[in-house]
Structures are given as C-alpha cells and as structure tokens.
Amino acid sequence: MRIIIAGDGEVGLYLAQELSKEDHNITMIVPNEELVKSAESHSDVMAVVGDSTLVSVLKRVDVKKADLLISCLHEERINILTAALGKKMGSLKTIARINTLEYLSDDNRKMFEDLGIDHLICPEDVAANEVVDLLRQTAATETFDFSKGKLSLFLLRLEKNAPVLNKTLDQIAKEFVHLHFRAVAIHRNRETIIPKGNDKFLENDLAYVITKPQGINDLLKLSGKEKISIHNLMLLGGGRVGRTVARRLENSMNIKLIEKDRERAIQLANSLGNCLIIHGDARDIQLLEDEDISGMDAFVALTDNSETNILACLHAKKFGVPRSIALVENIDYIDISQNIGIDTIVCKKLSTASNIIRFTMDSEITSIKCLSAINAQVLELVTGPHSPITKYPIRKLKFPAGAIIGGIVRGSESFIAVGDFQIEVGDKVVVFSLPESIHEVDELFH
C-alpha cells in the first residue's frame, strides 16, 4: 500500500514506524528538517519537508497514487484541509486527526465525508473512552469489547492468590469443562507467548483472554481478581481527556478533579456541574491528604506529562487507592509503569494507531485494538465468500505461529474457538496477532 502521513509529532512518527514494518510504502510530510532525521532514523520511510496544505507539496509526494493519506498534525484545521485536498487530488482514502469533539457527531461526520474525508480520529476522545471503560470494568488491566460485548478481551495480571497458578491450559480445561473463555497470550519477562496446552500460568503473568459475557465471572474467579465498585473518583488534569472523562461520569460518580492551571480550573467549574474542581498541584501530598485521597476508589492521572501521571498514581497507591490509571505517552515507560504498581496505562498513540491500522488491511475489519503492554493487536475480521479460513476446521488450518483465534461471532451468538469449530462465511472472528504475523492473518481472511 502507498501511504502518505502528514505529521509533526509522536503520533505521525509512531504510525510511520509501525506501518513501515508491514512492508507498506510510506512517505511522510513534515514541517522541518529535524523531523526528517527522526522519521528516517526510526523507520524505513521517505520524509519530505513542506506544508501539507500546499498543492505543490502534495504533487511532490504523488498524492494521486496514494492508497491512504493520514494527516495527524497537532493543528486540526491543517489536517482537515490536507485530507480534503488529498482526496480531490486522487488519494483513495483520507484520515484527519481532529481535536474538536463536536465534529464526531453523525451530522457533522456526513459533512466531512462530503468534503472528501473518509474518517475522523480524535486521540483524546479514544483515550477518554478507554478510561471510562476501564472504570466500569475494574478487575481488568485492559479491556475491549467486540460486536457490542458478544466477545471481550481482558488483560489480567495473575496475583499470588490466583487459582490457575502453576496449572497448564490442559489441566484447567479438564477441571472446568464448560469454559466460556480462552487465553490467547501470556506476557512474561518481556516475552509474549502464544499459549499451547502444556503452557503453565505463573505469578505476575499478564494473561490476555477472550471471553463470552457468561464467562466473565469465572474468569475473574480463576485469576484471583475481584470487581471494585467505584463511587469516589479523583481525576488529575482537566485537559481534553480529563474533561471528557469527567463529563461522561459526573452523573454516576462523585468526582474530584484537580487542575493546576487557574484559568482552566475556572472554565471546568463553569462547564461541569456535578464535579468538584480543585485548583492545585497534585504533587502536593498535603493537598491530596486534605482532599481525602485515601477515601477514593480510583485515581486517574491525565495530564500532558507522563512522568507526573506515573508519580501521582504511585502516590495514590501508597495512600491505599484500589485502582490507578495513568495516561502515558512515552511508550518506553509503559512496561516500567506496569511493573511498579500502576494498575493500568492508557496511551493515546497506541489508541490512535488501533483506529488507523485497520484502513491499511485488505480484509474487512470491524474492530482492532493495539495493546498497551505488548506490541500486538487483537482484531475482529469478517470472513468473505472465498476466505481460506472457511475451508477447514480450526485445528486443520495453517495458522501463523504468531497468531491465535480467540472466538467467533455468528449472528447473535458467540463461540469460543476450539479445534473442531468450522468458521463460515460472514462470521466475525477475533484474532490475537503479533506484528510479524498480521499479513498472513490478513491473507487468510481476504
């Protein structure tokens, strides 16, 4: 695929890096020479310096032959204009990163489609949705629904009290005949394992599991997890993500939102009627004590500074807060953060990539999730009339070594994948895949 990415920061560079691994032909448009060096040193891409809203620059990168144009600069007006011009000049698909949430309404989406923009992506909105989902499903480190919850992905850290410890998958299957879930990956000591029947679960493993709704309670029981009822929530940071989370939860939880900037705190107080807005610095331990941090059920740090978010969550854990979530944009910090006691990490970069990568594949993809803790994806793919995946039962398929089928949605029913299951045309199939296997998976469904 020929892909053009207009970017001026980490989102564009990360997308270029990830997509170049999948053998796409990537060209970046960047505003200065310094970003050219960053792009070319971290990924196999060609970078061009210029203004992506200029027709001459779009001609220089041969936009008329592009399969996909992604504009993800910080300024949304530039992204909208770049995508609209790119479509008019011949790009098959265009995606624009935006910051204004009202653009995502159905009426406004239609207006942008008429301008030639196929898809709008708002990283802050995606990150806020993830936080809200995690606060509603409190036992999981990471969670994602497929086909409106007919199947779900859970990431669970196995504590020392988990009943599955030191048992193989085969042993667990014999003890619990009617399991409604399946482990699709185990992350241990920075290594990701696609589990087989004789693989054991060990303490501190990160287990990725696909489950049906009726399997959630058994899953949590076997992993030693308990749901936490969240009534009292403390939020740090009133930027776009924090404000969106507060607005969506203010009528169902008691929320205290701490904002360092006085002017922004006043704006939040005027726009959020059911939240207590506190002007202060969450690094001030006395302030946290005064605001009863030890009485909170959850603490969520959503400032623009990854280090501040990590430290604030560690403070919250010291005060005994059961659930902590940190917004972390430096990918190098993600593994460290999860190993020092923070319950969950949310990364806008990875969330944005999840929404964009599906446009680079030939198969029909209804959902895709780039995982935070490891470099892998979970996809929901639709089987076409001639998909090779429908020719044999699962056990007889030549499935890539770095991928595994977790479950299948057929109409209103969902199924956990077992060896003798026959996938049919029109099924939605949930697949866990490491990056090196994603193309082979795509070919089986296309």
Side-chain angles (χ1 to χ4, degrees), residues 356-370:
I356 292 176
I357 286 174
R358 61 178 170 169
F359 291 96
T360 69
M361 299 180 69
D362 293 323
S363 304
E364 182 183 349
I365 298 174
T366 53
S367 299
I368 181 170
K369 168 70 173 171
C370 291

PDB file of all heavy atoms in Angstrom, residues 356-370:
ATOM      1  N   ILE A 356      -6.431   3.518  13.079  1.00  0.00           N
ATOM      2  CA  ILE A 356      -5.943   3.811  11.731  1.00  0.00           C
ATOM      3  C   ILE A 356      -5.451   2.566  11.001  1.00  0.00           C
ATOM      4  O   ILE A 356      -5.650   2.416   9.793  1.00  0.00           O
ATOM      5  CB  ILE A 356      -4.833   4.882  11.797  1.00  0.00           C
ATOM      6  CG1 ILE A 356      -5.448   6.226  12.230  1.00  0.00           C
ATOM      7  CG2 ILE A 356      -4.117   5.036  10.456  1.00  0.00           C
ATOM      8  CD1 ILE A 356      -4.446   7.348  12.422  1.00  0.00           C
ATOM      9  N   ILE A 357      -4.830   1.634  11.726  1.00  0.00           N
ATOM     10  CA  ILE A 357      -4.204   0.478  11.072  1.00  0.00           C
ATOM     11  C   ILE A 357      -5.208  -0.358  10.280  1.00  0.00           C
ATOM     12  O   ILE A 357      -4.877  -0.926   9.242  1.00  0.00           O
ATOM     13  CB  ILE A 357      -3.462  -0.389  12.119  1.00  0.00           C
ATOM     14  CG1 ILE A 357      -2.179   0.326  12.551  1.00  0.00           C
ATOM     15  CG2 ILE A 357      -3.134  -1.772  11.581  1.00  0.00           C
ATOM     16  CD1 ILE A 357      -1.437  -0.346  13.689  1.00  0.00           C
ATOM     17  N   ARG A 358      -6.471  -0.407  10.741  1.00  0.00           N
ATOM     18  CA  ARG A 358      -7.453  -1.235  10.027  1.00  0.00           C
ATOM     19  C   ARG A 358      -7.669  -0.758   8.588  1.00  0.00           C
ATOM     20  O   ARG A 358      -8.084  -1.540   7.717  1.00  0.00           O
ATOM     21  CB  ARG A 358      -8.783  -1.245  10.771  1.00  0.00           C
ATOM     22  CG  ARG A 358      -9.450   0.089  10.929  1.00  0.00           C
ATOM     23  CD  ARG A 358     -10.785  -0.076  11.639  1.00  0.00           C
ATOM     24  NE  ARG A 358     -11.353   1.203  12.018  1.00  0.00           N
ATOM     25  CZ  ARG A 358     -12.587   1.356  12.451  1.00  0.00           C
ATOM     26  NH1 ARG A 358     -13.363   0.300  12.579  1.00  0.00           N
ATOM     27  NH2 ARG A 358     -13.045   2.540  12.779  1.00  0.00           N
ATOM     28  N   PHE A 359      -7.398   0.540   8.312  1.00  0.00           N
ATOM     29  CA  PHE A 359      -7.577   1.051   6.958  1.00  0.00           C
ATOM     30  C   PHE A 359      -6.457   0.612   6.023  1.00  0.00           C
ATOM     31  O   PHE A 359      -6.524   0.864   4.825  1.00  0.00           O
ATOM     32  CB  PHE A 359      -7.655   2.577   6.988  1.00  0.00           C
ATOM     33  CG  PHE A 359      -8.903   3.108   7.630  1.00  0.00           C
ATOM     34  CD1 PHE A 359      -8.906   3.485   8.962  1.00  0.00           C
ATOM     35  CD2 PHE A 359     -10.088   3.218   6.923  1.00  0.00           C
ATOM     36  CE1 PHE A 359     -10.047   3.974   9.564  1.00  0.00           C
ATOM     37  CE2 PHE A 359     -11.242   3.697   7.515  1.00  0.00           C
ATOM     38  CZ  PHE A 359     -11.225   4.079   8.842  1.00  0.00           C
ATOM     39  N   THR A 360      -5.413  -0.025   6.565  1.00  0.00           N
ATOM     40  CA  THR A 360      -4.286  -0.457   5.742  1.00  0.00           C
ATOM     41  C   THR A 360      -4.375  -1.934   5.378  1.00  0.00           C
ATOM     42  O   THR A 360      -3.478  -2.458   4.722  1.00  0.00           O
ATOM     43  CB  THR A 360      -2.954  -0.214   6.481  1.00  0.00           C
ATOM     44  OG1 THR A 360      -2.860  -1.111   7.600  1.00  0.00           O
ATOM     45  CG2 THR A 360      -2.855   1.217   6.971  1.00  0.00           C
ATOM     46  N   MET A 361      -5.447  -2.619   5.787  1.00  0.00           N
ATOM     47  CA  MET A 361      -5.562  -4.053   5.538  1.00  0.00           C
ATOM     48  C   MET A 361      -6.615  -4.335   4.469  1.00  0.00           C
ATOM     49  O   MET A 361      -7.569  -3.578   4.293  1.00  0.00           O
ATOM     50  CB  MET A 361      -5.892  -4.788   6.842  1.00  0.00           C
ATOM     51  CG  MET A 361      -4.803  -4.617   7.900  1.00  0.00           C
ATOM     52  SD  MET A 361      -5.163  -5.469   9.443  1.00  0.00           S
ATOM     53  CE  MET A 361      -5.023  -7.183   8.933  1.00  0.00           C
ATOM     54  N   ASP A 362      -6.441  -5.456   3.752  1.00  0.00           N
ATOM     55  CA  ASP A 362      -7.362  -5.816   2.672  1.00  0.00           C
ATOM     56  C   ASP A 362      -8.647  -6.446   3.204  1.00  0.00           C
ATOM     57  O   ASP A 362      -9.707  -6.287   2.618  1.00  0.00           O
ATOM     58  CB  ASP A 362      -6.682  -6.806   1.714  1.00  0.00           C
ATOM     59  CG  ASP A 362      -5.531  -6.167   0.956  1.00  0.00           C
ATOM     60  OD1 ASP A 362      -5.662  -4.979   0.594  1.00  0.00           O
ATOM     61  OD2 ASP A 362      -4.517  -6.833   0.740  1.00  0.00           O
ATOM     62  N   SER A 363      -8.560  -7.186   4.306  1.00  0.00           N
ATOM     63  CA  SER A 363      -9.733  -7.847   4.868  1.00  0.00           C
ATOM     64  C   SER A 363     -10.672  -6.821   5.494  1.00  0.00           C
ATOM     65  O   SER A 363     -10.262  -5.716   5.848  1.00  0.00           O
ATOM     66  CB  SER A 363      -9.315  -8.866   5.932  1.00  0.00           C
ATOM     67  OG  SER A 363      -8.407  -9.797   5.414  1.00  0.00           O
ATOM     68  N   GLU A 364     -11.943  -7.227   5.638  1.00  0.00           N
ATOM     69  CA  GLU A 364     -12.906  -6.362   6.326  1.00  0.00           C
ATOM     70  C   GLU A 364     -12.698  -6.486   7.835  1.00  0.00           C
ATOM     71  O   GLU A 364     -12.824  -7.569   8.391  1.00  0.00           O
ATOM     72  CB  GLU A 364     -14.342  -6.756   5.958  1.00  0.00           C
ATOM     73  CG  GLU A 364     -15.382  -5.854   6.609  1.00  0.00           C
ATOM     74  CD  GLU A 364     -16.814  -6.266   6.306  1.00  0.00           C
ATOM     75  OE1 GLU A 364     -17.002  -7.131   5.430  1.00  0.00           O
ATOM     76  OE2 GLU A 364     -17.725  -5.732   6.968  1.00  0.00           O
ATOM     77  N   ILE A 365     -12.383  -5.378   8.472  1.00  0.00           N
ATOM     78  CA  ILE A 365     -12.113  -5.372   9.910  1.00  0.00           C
ATOM     79  C   ILE A 365     -13.154  -4.490  10.594  1.00  0.00           C
ATOM     80  O   ILE A 365     -13.302  -3.321  10.259  1.00  0.00           O
ATOM     81  CB  ILE A 365     -10.699  -4.846  10.211  1.00  0.00           C
ATOM     82  CG1 ILE A 365      -9.659  -5.751   9.570  1.00  0.00           C
ATOM     83  CG2 ILE A 365     -10.455  -4.736  11.712  1.00  0.00           C
ATOM     84  CD1 ILE A 365      -8.244  -5.240   9.691  1.00  0.00           C
ATOM     85  N   THR A 366     -13.869  -5.062  11.555  1.00  0.00           N
ATOM     86  CA  THR A 366     -14.891  -4.290  12.258  1.00  0.00           C
ATOM     87  C   THR A 366     -14.335  -3.648  13.526  1.00  0.00           C
ATOM     88  O   THR A 366     -14.856  -2.632  13.980  1.00  0.00           O
ATOM     89  CB  THR A 366     -16.090  -5.179  12.623  1.00  0.00           C
ATOM     90  OG1 THR A 366     -15.629  -6.329  13.340  1.00  0.00           O
ATOM     91  CG2 THR A 366     -16.815  -5.642  11.370  1.00  0.00           C
ATOM     92  N   SER A 367     -13.302  -4.247  14.126  1.00  0.00           N
ATOM     93  CA  SER A 367     -12.682  -3.676  15.328  1.00  0.00           C
ATOM     94  C   SER A 367     -11.220  -4.074  15.365  1.00  0.00           C
ATOM     95  O   SER A 367     -10.848  -5.166  14.900  1.00  0.00           O
ATOM     96  CB  SER A 367     -13.354  -4.188  16.612  1.00  0.00           C
ATOM     97  OG  SER A 367     -14.712  -3.827  16.664  1.00  0.00           O
ATOM     98  N   ILE A 368     -10.392  -3.194  15.931  1.00  0.00           N
ATOM     99  CA  ILE A 368      -8.983  -3.531  16.133  1.00  0.00           C
ATOM    100  C   ILE A 368      -8.494  -2.803  17.374  1.00  0.00           C
ATOM    101  O   ILE A 368      -8.874  -1.664  17.631  1.00  0.00           O
ATOM    102  CB  ILE A 368      -8.127  -3.158  14.899  1.00  0.00           C
ATOM    103  CG1 ILE A 368      -6.653  -3.535  15.124  1.00  0.00           C
ATOM    104  CG2 ILE A 368      -8.266  -1.701  14.563  1.00  0.00           C
ATOM    105  CD1 ILE A 368      -5.796  -3.426  13.871  1.00  0.00           C
ATOM    106  N   LYS A 369      -7.664  -3.488  18.154  1.00  0.00           N
ATOM    107  CA  LYS A 369      -7.122  -2.908  19.380  1.00  0.00           C
ATOM    108  C   LYS A 369      -5.619  -3.152  19.422  1.00  0.00           C
ATOM    109  O   LYS A 369      -5.169  -4.303  19.418  1.00  0.00           O
ATOM    110  CB  LYS A 369      -7.804  -3.560  20.591  1.00  0.00           C
ATOM    111  CG  LYS A 369      -7.156  -3.279  21.941  1.00  0.00           C
ATOM    112  CD  LYS A 369      -7.330  -1.852  22.367  1.00  0.00           C
ATOM    113  CE  LYS A 369      -6.825  -1.644  23.802  1.00  0.00           C
ATOM    114  NZ  LYS A 369      -6.783  -0.227  24.164  1.00  0.00           N
ATOM    115  N   CYS A 370      -4.829  -2.058  19.407  1.00  0.00           N
ATOM    116  CA  CYS A 370      -3.388  -2.165  19.639  1.00  0.00           C
ATOM    117  C   CYS A 370      -3.173  -2.212  21.147  1.00  0.00           C
ATOM    118  O   CYS A 370      -3.626  -1.314  21.865  1.00  0.00           O
ATOM    119  CB  CYS A 370      -2.646  -0.971  19.033  1.00  0.00           C
ATOM    120  SG  CYS A 370      -2.633  -0.945  17.246  1.00  0.00           S
TER     121      CYS A 370
END
